Amino acid sequence: MGAGNQEAVKQLQSLMENVDEQLKNTFQNMHQDYPAESLIRFLKARDWNVAKAHKMLIDCLNWRVENEIDKVLTKPIPADLYRAIRDSQLIGMSGYSKEGLPVIAVGVGLSTYDKASDKYYIQSHIQINEYRDRVILPTATRKHERYIGTCVKVLDMTGLKFSALSQLRLLTAISTIDDLNYPEKTDTYYIVNAPYVFSACWKVVKPLLQERTRRKIQVLQGCGKEELLKVMDYASLPHFCRKEDSKSSKHNASGNTENCFSFNHVFHQQLYNHIKHQAIIMESISPPIRQGSFYVDIPEPDPDDAKIAKTIETEFHKLENQKNGFTNSRNGVTVNGHRNTSY
């Protein structure tokens, strides 16, 4: 980090000394004894502009206070509903990279978001974020005796279809929460199993991304197994990256291949049990909290992010229209005024 960046951190630290106690408390809960590293995340997100980073951080802290984010890990979603969410919002943790970073797997293409209301999907997403930041990353930091504050994400595009357009509003809301309140938490995004619909959209969206973001994204060939094994061991590969060959069959036989999206996976069991345990502790010192009683304000998206979402929507419509036109041309053609449907 250069001298200019170090000065920016000092300036932001000085500004943070003037915030009220409520914001200081939620900031402490957020940074987990690594305040400078958290300030650097917000500075990176605003290209080291101190004034913009300060505004972003204050807005984030106010959002946390107003929505009681510090208490979100004491508010369990009812078990049956949580299981349904896990079946339709495909996300989990498959292990760690060779550098000790958590590996977060996301089933982008096969997530349907149709088993619960939007507020529960948002609640579950924030709970995973907070569990990652308050439990997973601090544990990894202690284990490796060095600061670990980011994860790697493997995004599975299997099954991505035009119907995903119906989920764009919810996905934009979740993305906005992450961008504005959990910036710079992902070291690298690995895209795997990408179908044509993704490739076509990626060509249009890629130029709109900031260079800092583009550098983080790697689109891998097929399931990405060979490339991913350079950064993580086989045991940490998400299940959708394990091709059925003799080697992976042996692992299947030994029971090591698990669906990290499943409610029964060790990550989700530990997460859900942690939330239930925290709820019990909270109930012992305050009135009981009704399960599922959590609402959160969705921040207004950054104009650039809104532009990207609109571009994706437009491209999906364009591709869908092309597909429908191609299907119609195959179903029948007109010859001399008569429709031929013989092929």
Side-chain angles (χ1 to χ4, degrees):
M1 186 165 60
N5 292 347
Q6 290 178 349
E7 180 60 29
V9 174
K10 290 180 180 178
Q11 290 179 24
L12 189 52
Q13 285 174 328
S14 178
L15 290 171
M16 290 303 295
E17 292 175 0
N18 300 320
V19 303
D20 63 41
E21 284 303 311
Q22 202 172 25
L23 296 190
K24 284 182 179 178
N25 289 338
T26 195
F27 181 54
Q28 186 172 15
N29 204 28
M30 184 177 81
H31 67 59
Q32 295 290 310
D33 297 326
Y34 286 90
E37 286 78 2
S38 290
L39 296 181
I40 289 171
R41 289 196 294 110
F42 283 84
L43 284 164
K44 284 182 177 178
R46 289 298 177 260
D47 295 319
W48 296 92
N49 183 304
V50 175
K52 291 181 179 179
H54 179 244
K55 181 184 184 306
M56 182 186 188
L57 179 52
I58 294 299
D59 288 346
C60 167
L61 297 179
N62 280 319
W63 175 80
R64 292 182 67 88
V65 170
E66 292 165 5
N67 293 282
E68 298 187 328
I69 301 300
D70 290 339
K71 296 180 181 179
V72 70
L73 291 180
T74 68
K75 299 179 179 181
I77 297 171
D80 289 346
L81 183 57
Y82 189 78
R83 187 182 294 274
I85 290 170
R86 295 281 60 82
D87 290 340
S88 52
Q89 182 184 36
L90 305 182
I91 185 170
M93 180 177 152
S94 61
Y96 293 87
S97 74
K98 293 178 181 179
E99 294 183 350
L101 278 61
V103 178
I104 306 297
V106 185
V108 177
L110 294 176
S111 290
T112 56
Y113 297 95
D114 59 353
K115 301 288 176 56
S117 63
D118 287 0
K119 70 169 187 172
Y120 285 115
Y121 287 115
I122 291 171
Q123 175 179 351
S124 176
H125 182 82
I126 293 174
Q127 286 177 331
I128 290 173
N129 280 356
E130 293 292 314
Y131 185 72
R132 173 198 65 198
D133 294 350
R134 295 194 228 170
V135 179
I136 298 293
L137 291 172
T139 300
T141 294
R142 290 190 295 270
K143 177 181 177 181
H144 293 274
E145 298 183 338
R146 60 180 174 79
Y147 177 68
I148 294 178
T150 59
C151 63
V152 298
K153 289 186 176 178
V154 185
L155 310 183
D156 180 22
M157 296 296 167
T158 299
L160 186 65
K161 299 177 182 177
F162 298 112
S163 56
L165 197 60
S166 63
Q167 305 158 13
L168 192 58
R169 184 179 62 83
L170 174 59
L171 294 176
T172 300
I174 290 174
S175 175
T176 298
I177 288 172
D178 283 354
D179 290 346
L180 298 183
N181 301 291
Y182 303 93
E184 300 296 320
K185 296 300 293 187
T186 302
D187 184 74
T188 310
Y189 297 89
Y190 296 102
I191 311 293
V192 302
N193 298 320
Y196 170 75
V197 64
F198 169 81
S199 302
C201 285
W202 177 238
K203 290 178 183 177
V204 178
V205 171
K206 185 178 179 180
L208 302 179
L209 299 175
Q210 294 183 0
E211 177 60 27
R212 184 183 70 256
T213 302
R214 283 202 300 269
R215 287 198 301 266
K216 291 182 178 184
I217 300 173
Q218 296 188 30
V219 181
L220 305 183
Q221 185 174 5
C223 71
K225 178 180 173 182
E226 291 184 8
E227 289 298 315
L228 290 173
L229 285 175
K230 297 176 183 177
V231 296
M232 66 188 72
D233 293 331
Y234 186 91
S236 291
L237 277 179
H239 59 281
F240 50 79
C241 295
R242 304 182 183 194
K243 283 294 185 182
E244 290 298 325
D245 53 22
S246 58
K247 182 178 179 181
S248 63
S249 296
K250 183 170 67 174
H251 280 271
N252 281 331
S254 63
N256 289 333
T257 299
E258 293 181 303
N259 183 342
C260 63
F261 300 150
S262 169
F263 175 74
N264 296 320
H265 187 269
V266 61
F267 168 73
H268 285 296
Q269 286 294 301
Q270 291 175 346
L271 166 60
Y272 196 72
N273 288 333
H274 176 86
I275 294 173
K276 288 196 298 181
H277 180 66
Q278 294 300 311
I280 292 171
I281 295 174
M282 181 64 71
E283 288 176 8
S284 69
I285 59 177
S286 63
I289 299 173
R290 182 170 61 88
Q291 283 195 342
S293 57
F294 178 81
Y295 296 87
V296 62
D297 294 327
I298 308 300
E300 283 296 316
D302 182 276
D304 289 339
D305 293 335
K307 181 180 179 181
I308 290 171
K310 185 63 179 177
T311 300
I312 292 173
E313 182 178 8
T314 301
E315 193 65 20
F316 261 63
H317 280 307
K318 186 188 303 181
L319 292 169
E320 188 172 24
N321 289 338
Q322 290 175 355
K323 178 188 176 185
N324 290 339
F326 177 74
T327 301
N328 290 338
S329 69
R330 290 293 301 273
N331 288 340
V333 295
T334 301
V335 179
N336 295 330
H338 298 285
R339 188 168 178 80
N340 185 349
T341 59
S342 61
Y343 56 108

